[in-house]
Amino acid sequence: MIFALPFFLGAVLIAVMVHLASLLALPGFATNDAYARLGRNAPIDQVAALTQAQIAALDLPFYDRSFETAVCKYDLSAGVLRLRAPSPDTMLLVTLIARGGNVYFSVSDRAAIKGLVEVLVGTDAQIEQIEASDKDDEVLGELRVRAPKPQGVALIRVFAPDETSKARAAEEAAQASCQIETL
Amino acid sequence: MRFVLALLATLLVGTALGLAATRWTASNRQGFSAEQAGPWIAWPKAGTSEAEPYARAFQARTGYVPLGGGDGVALFALSDSDGRPLEGNCAYDVGGAVPAARFWTLEAFSPRGRPVAGPLGRLGFTSAEVMHDAAGHFMVAVSPQVRPGNWLQVATPGRFVLVLRLYETVLSASAFSLEADALPAITRGACR
């Protein structure tokens, strides 16, 4: 028994270390996170509207089906992403998800200016480059967001409070646009 | 020789246990820093850049998209107001007050997050379509059999989870406090 004790304690210590290390590393190796699922058949740097059947097939757990959804899978290696979504009749949520699954930014239509939510997404270096060329007296019409990783997906969701508003909400979500702008 | 074998076994067992723990928590636990009030549990920081490693691992493994910090709060109920797990063969009354929010939705899911709607096809209720009484309170009947009023049919033999999402609510990720009185109660009725 005395012989086994150090090995037992050693195994527990190793288990704790392996658990913490693998937990922190997991998002980096994720192949079935929200980015992977939403971007699986999505074109890159373009908005793609998803039907309720397509959303169901993605099998996103606890997904709120009261929304109509469009996605924009992006890659910032060629430039910054400009995302525009018009304010709908109900409520708009724009959610930015980095590769690995982390939600790093979200905004609703409350942030719209003249009926349009406009978000400029870039890496740290890209946003710094843009800010360096800003004029002091310029009024910004866009929200600038620093992405933690160059790859990600933008989720554009329009609330459909009842059955009759679903078609309209789907149209409104599909009106969003996203494009890469080279610096 | 015996020492080397024991050392190898220690390494193997430790690594296997560590990986198994990661696999289990990432599949089953949304995080540990939860807020609870009555039957409702929330992880208000899950959709922010301050999300804890357990929340990030859960999202990476399951594909769960949490509500962004400013968008609102998702409240999960795994049990009724008396602490008994929600069972698909029982009838429940969910009702009372709801914190001020622009919109809210109430939906039923399996413990893994799949919809458990019945053949009627309704996946949940939204604040815009639910019937309220004169005091502004609502009551949704969650049960396998048809009920009058707001009826959410649940078709699952096992346990289920209710998710109440408050969009643009007075509760926020940074100043989060829940009180059971301000949230709907979940009262169990008859079970088959």
Side-chain angles (χ1 to χ4, degrees):
Chain A
M1 276 311 282
I2 296 297
F3 173 77
L5 189 66
F7 292 101
F8 176 75
L9 291 177
V12 170
L13 191 70
I14 289 166
V16 170
M17 288 193 302
V18 168
H19 170 58
L20 292 178
S22 57
L23 188 79
L24 293 172
L26 198 147
F29 295 99
T31 54
N32 216 11
D33 63 337
Y35 164 81
R37 290 184 201 206
L38 287 163
R40 195 156 286 151
N41 298 310
I44 198 141
D45 305 330
Q46 278 178 43
V47 168
L50 297 176
T51 62
Q52 287 288 341
Q54 284 170 318
I55 283 288
L58 292 177
D59 202 17
L60 295 165
F62 305 109
Y63 195 79
D64 193 340
R65 304 286 174 84
S66 319
F67 285 80
E68 295 296 324
T69 308
V71 292
C72 168
K73 183 185 184 181
Y74 64 80
D75 188 339
L76 303 174
S77 48
V80 292
L81 179 84
R82 187 176 295 277
L83 192 151
R84 291 192 181 99
S87 283
D89 291 343
T90 55
M91 176 172 63
L92 166 78
L93 299 179
V94 174
T95 309
L96 299 179
I97 304 165
R99 186 175 188 170
N102 184 231
V103 171
Y104 67 93
F105 181 78
S106 65
V107 68
S108 79
D109 56 302
R110 295 265 197 234
I113 295 172
K114 290 181 184 164
L116 195 70
V117 174
E118 186 163 351
V119 185
L120 192 73
V121 187
T123 59
D124 272 341
Q126 286 168 334
I127 296 291
E128 271 159 33
Q129 197 184 333
I130 290 172
E131 282 176 350
S133 60
D134 273 348
K135 296 183 188 77
D136 285 344
D137 55 350
E138 213 172 11
V139 180
L140 291 178
E142 71 210 13
L143 295 160
R144 289 174 181 171
V145 183
R146 290 165 189 256
K149 286 175 186 168
Q151 285 100 19
V153 62
L155 198 56
I156 300 135
R157 287 180 289 180
V158 175
F159 188 59
D162 51 42
E163 281 300 317
T164 54
S165 55
K166 283 198 184 302
R168 173 90 185 122
E171 263 172 47
E172 287 168 329
Q175 278 166 17
S177 71
C178 70
Q179 63 189 76
I180 290 288
E181 294 178 0
T182 49
L183 292 176
Chain B
M1 190 61 198
R2 196 176 157 208
F3 177 78
V4 174
L5 278 178
L7 207 61
L8 271 175
T10 304
L11 266 172
L12 273 174
V13 169
T15 307
L17 281 177
L19 290 175
T22 299
R23 187 189 162 91
W24 188 85
T25 53
S27 304
N28 295 288
R29 295 301 298 251
Q30 292 198 31
F32 286 90
S33 56
E35 299 280 340
Q36 188 158 11
W40 303 101
I41 309 166
W43 289 266
K45 291 208 195 302
T48 70
S49 47
E50 293 167 51
E52 57 173 314
Y54 284 97
R56 285 174 194 258
F58 177 78
Q59 291 156 25
R61 179 151 172 87
T62 63
Y64 173 58
V65 181
L67 273 181
D71 291 343
V73 173
L75 299 156
F76 291 73
L78 286 72
S79 60
D80 65 17
S81 291
D82 293 325
R84 293 170 296 201
L86 299 177
E87 306 273 4
N89 60 342
C90 296
Y92 295 92
D93 284 328
V94 183
V98 184
R102 192 170 165 197
F103 291 105
W104 57 259
T105 64
L106 178 72
E107 290 159 298
F109 294 95
S110 76
R112 291 265 176 213
R114 298 213 169 92
V116 288
L120 202 72
R122 175 181 279 284
L123 294 168
F125 275 97
T126 74
S127 51
E129 58 189 351
V130 79
M131 286 178 271
H132 295 81
D133 68 11
H137 291 183
F138 77 98
M139 184 65 76
V140 171
V142 181
S143 83
Q145 293 102 9
V146 63
R147 298 274 297 277
N150 304 311
W151 175 46
L152 179 60
Q153 187 184 23
V154 165
T156 175
R159 292 184 177 177
F160 67 94
V161 178
L162 285 171
V163 183
L164 175 67
R165 270 178 266 239
L166 309 168
Y167 291 100
E168 301 202 325
T169 172
V170 289
L171 302 168
S172 73
S174 51
F176 197 85
S177 70
L178 283 181
E179 278 181 42
D181 290 348
L183 294 169
I186 304 173
T187 316
R188 191 165 99 175
C191 296
R192 276 189 299 183

